Amino acid sequence: MRFTVREMRDFSHDHSVLALNTATLGHNVPGAGVGWSPERTIDACAERGINGLVFWRREIEGKAAAIGARAREAGVRVVGLCRAPFLVGPLAARHREDVADDFRKAIDETAELGADVLTIVTGGVQVGTKGVQESLKAVAGCIAGVLPYAASSGVRLALEPLHPMYGGDRSCLMTTRDALDICDFINADNLGVAIDVYHVWWDTDLPRQLARAGRRIFGFHLCDWLAHTSDFLLDRGMMGDGVADLRGIRSAVEAAGYQGFCEVEIFSAANWWKREPEEVLDIMIDRFRSVC
Amino acid sequence: MRFTVREMRDFSHDHSVLALNTATLGHNVPGAGVGWSPERTIDACAERGINGLVFWRREIEGKAAAIGARAREAGVRVVGLCRAPFLVGPLAARHREDVADDFRKAIDETAELGADVLTIVTGGVQVGTKGVQESLKAVAGCIAGVLPYAASSGVRLALEPLHPMYGGDRSCLMTTRDALDICDFINADNLGVAIDVYHVWWDTDLPRQLARAGRRIFGFHLCDWLAHTSDFLLDRGMMGDGVADLRGIRSAVEAAGYQGFCEVEIFSAANWWKREPEEVLDIMIDRFRSVC
């Protein structure tokens, strides 16, 4: 199935819906590299008209409400929080209660931040099982159990399918189709999907699934897939440097009804994380306008 | 969609359809590591009742007919040849004629070996394009052009979808569905697919696609996906050491009509390639009987 390029939002002179995922600056926690504080990141975004921000939990721990308020004062919206704990698989907490507790804590932090969405990365194949079916069932059960709490906190949950190379340990959920199957099964207004071009660019079934998703697309993430990618985690490309059909995917995402922020999330130890954050932000804006 | 475990061939005391892809022994070319010659590999297989062998082109170059005869004398069938040249993408030859020439040469070698099947790995996204659609079209055109030559040589071509982590440079063909779409489009008796558990284990659409494939499954490849895989190319697992549902997949492959060899292909620089080849073969037989 091909993408049909429909009428799209024109970003060529407008980056008002551009959002920064702080991972793009190398996880900006003081002490972990040359990173910026959340406050400095907020200011740098505000200065450049980057109106959205997505934090990681370790950056805002214990001060979510204050950082949320700081962002609002600066005119920057906290679009989302990365992320709920792994729910299943070898990297998840061993006890189900611990997973659920931490999941609720992440929901609390999302609410305190005033963020729109909490992203869910499911975790990989359950230890002792083969294939993904048992794990996907466990994921659905876990989410169904926590959803009412999220709803009462005003938090939406976005299931993010990850690239199939993460299937073993990080995500038994690897396609938009599987994510929507879980959404269909649970059927709750505050459960949807996050579409990250890095994870789904290869999927020729994507146009069909995005149309099926409709208003359940809660987030749209940008970067690029480098033709000769060299690392499982930390070699994402800046938009335009890779082979993903960014405009085709965005067209389908928007045709499905999504009109929200476009969040740039680039893990890049060998390239972008070595540059000055100001330079990264400026290039990000330029690429967003020119190739996305 | 789940796998339904149907009646399957019982391998618990029988490895008569086990085939060795020489990659499992570290590409057994003299000079390239501690590798064995094709002749020595043939003998080692014959001694163990491993009745099938798959070579790589560089191992048999200039002596395909002799090696084919040698294998037949030893009672070992040459199941396939790896592989046609990359047809598209950054690793393909620059000129289309060179690709076609080398493709025909690979077909000749397959015929000289007396092998059943030539495997096709498509190559990645065409340079200068985005997404996979243009590349898949080019692949289909290239295969359609060479198919009559293959047919006149008595050679069957097996399109092998690779794992989506190879999409950039090695394979724009990443799902069984896309492979079958090309087969449907071209519609020739000597064009089918090769199903490698390493590349497709994650795909919840696989049972449906295998049923659709039917008799067009020309090859079935075994190894395993390690939960914490650490290298894009050279960290495949021995059957049983990973998370792929090997038995579920084989069940669906056989239900579709496939009753041929099961070919073990393990690229493993840090583990299996460091062991004595005899040990690898013995463990391979044991795992084939116990977990596949």
Side-chain angles (χ1 to χ4, degrees), chain A residues 12-27:
Chain A
S12 58
H13 301 86
D14 173 17
H15 64 274
S16 58
V17 296
L18 175 60
L20 171 74
N21 183 304
T22 59
T24 304
L25 302 185
H27 284 275

Side-chain angles (χ1 to χ4, degrees), chain B residues 195-207:
Chain B
I195 301 298
D196 187 320
V197 296
Y198 185 77
H199 296 304
V200 302
W201 74 274
W202 55 270
D203 184 0
T204 57
D205 193 35
L206 187 63

Side-chain angles (χ1 to χ4, degrees), chain B residues 115-127:
Chain B
D116 294 340
V117 164
L118 174 65
T119 303
I120 299 171
V121 171
T122 62
V125 173
Q126 274 194 309
V127 177

Side-chain angles (χ1 to χ4, degrees), chain A residues 247-266:
Chain A
R247 214 158 258 178
I249 297 173
R250 180 165 72 84
S251 168
V253 163
E254 294 188 5
Y258 185 81
Q259 298 287 319
F261 278 93
C262 302
E263 170 190 340
V264 175
E265 183 180 24
I266 302 174

Side-chain angles (χ1 to χ4, degrees), chain A residues 1-3 90-91 125-126 129-134 136-137 163-170 172 174-175 177-178 181 198 201-206 208 224-232 240-246, chain B residues 1-3 90-91 125-126 129-134 136-137 163-170 172 174-175 177-178 181 198 201-206 208 224-232 240-246:
Chain A
M1 203 171 174
R2 301 182 63 80
F3 293 108
L91 302 177
V125 173
Q126 274 193 311
T129 70
K130 302 287 185 180
V132 297
Q133 294 294 353
E134 293 305 312
L136 289 173
K137 261 199 258 181
H163 191 282
M165 70 186 174
Y166 298 120
D169 49 5
R170 291 176 179 270
C172 61
M174 292 173 272
T175 62
R177 191 167 65 84
D178 291 343
D181 284 351
Y198 184 78
W201 75 274
W202 55 271
D203 184 359
T204 56
D205 194 34
L206 187 62
R208 186 189 339 256
D224 212 334
W225 181 274
L226 298 175
H228 302 289
T229 189
S230 62
D231 188 273
F232 280 102
D241 289 345
V243 297
D245 180 8
L246 301 180
Chain B
M1 202 170 172
R2 302 182 63 80
F3 293 109
L91 302 177
V125 173
Q126 274 194 309
T129 71
K130 303 285 185 181
V132 297
Q133 294 294 352
E134 292 306 313
L136 289 173
K137 261 199 258 179
H163 191 283
M165 71 187 173
Y166 299 121
D169 49 5
R170 290 176 179 269
C172 61
M174 292 173 272
T175 63
R177 191 168 65 85
D178 290 344
D181 284 350
Y198 185 77
W201 74 274
W202 55 270
D203 184 0
T204 57
D205 193 35
L206 187 63
R208 190 191 335 259
D224 213 333
W225 181 274
L226 298 174
H228 302 289
T229 191
S230 62
D231 188 273
F232 280 103
D241 289 344
V243 297
D245 179 9
L246 301 181

Side-chain angles (χ1 to χ4, degrees), chain A residues 125-272:
Chain A
V125 173
Q126 274 193 311
V127 177
T129 70
K130 302 287 185 180
V132 297
Q133 294 294 353
E134 293 305 312
S135 307
L136 289 173
K137 261 199 258 181
V139 164
C142 186
I143 291 172
V146 172
L147 259 178
Y149 185 82
S152 70
S153 308
V155 168
R156 299 193 299 165
L157 303 180
L159 272 169
E160 182 169 6
L162 296 203
H163 191 282
M165 70 186 174
Y166 298 120
D169 49 5
R170 291 176 179 270
S171 181
C172 61
L173 185 77
M174 292 173 272
T175 62
T176 307
R177 191 167 65 84
D178 291 343
L180 291 171
D181 284 351
I182 291 178
C183 291
D184 282 350
F185 177 73
I186 294 180
N187 192 23
D189 285 345
N190 63 328
L191 180 63
V193 298
I195 301 298
D196 186 319
V197 297
Y198 184 78
H199 297 303
V200 303
W201 75 274
W202 55 271
D203 184 359
T204 56
D205 194 34
L206 187 62
R208 186 189 339 256
Q209 296 302 330
L210 292 174
R212 173 187 168 201
R215 298 283 172 175
R216 294 178 294 184
I217 300 173
F218 289 177
F220 179 52
H221 304 177
L222 289 169
C223 67
D224 212 334
W225 181 274
L226 298 175
H228 302 289
T229 189
S230 62
D231 188 273
F232 280 102
L233 284 170
L234 305 181
D235 192 33
R236 298 193 186 193
M238 180 63 75
M239 297 85 77
D241 289 345
V243 297
D245 180 8
L246 301 180
R247 214 158 258 178
I249 297 173
R250 180 165 72 84
S251 168
V253 163
E254 294 188 5
Y258 185 81
Q259 298 287 319
F261 278 93
C262 302
E263 170 190 340
V264 175
E265 183 180 24
I266 302 174
F267 298 82
S268 170
N271 183 358
W272 299 101

Side-chain angles (χ1 to χ4, degrees), chain B residues 21-55:
Chain B
N21 184 305
T22 60
T24 304
L25 303 185
H27 283 274
N28 58 354
V29 183
V34 292
W36 283 354
S37 67
E39 292 79 3
R40 186 163 175 194
T41 307
I42 290 167
D43 292 341
C45 286
E47 282 164 22
R48 288 168 176 78
I50 298 168
N51 294 327
L53 250 173
V54 175
F55 289 108

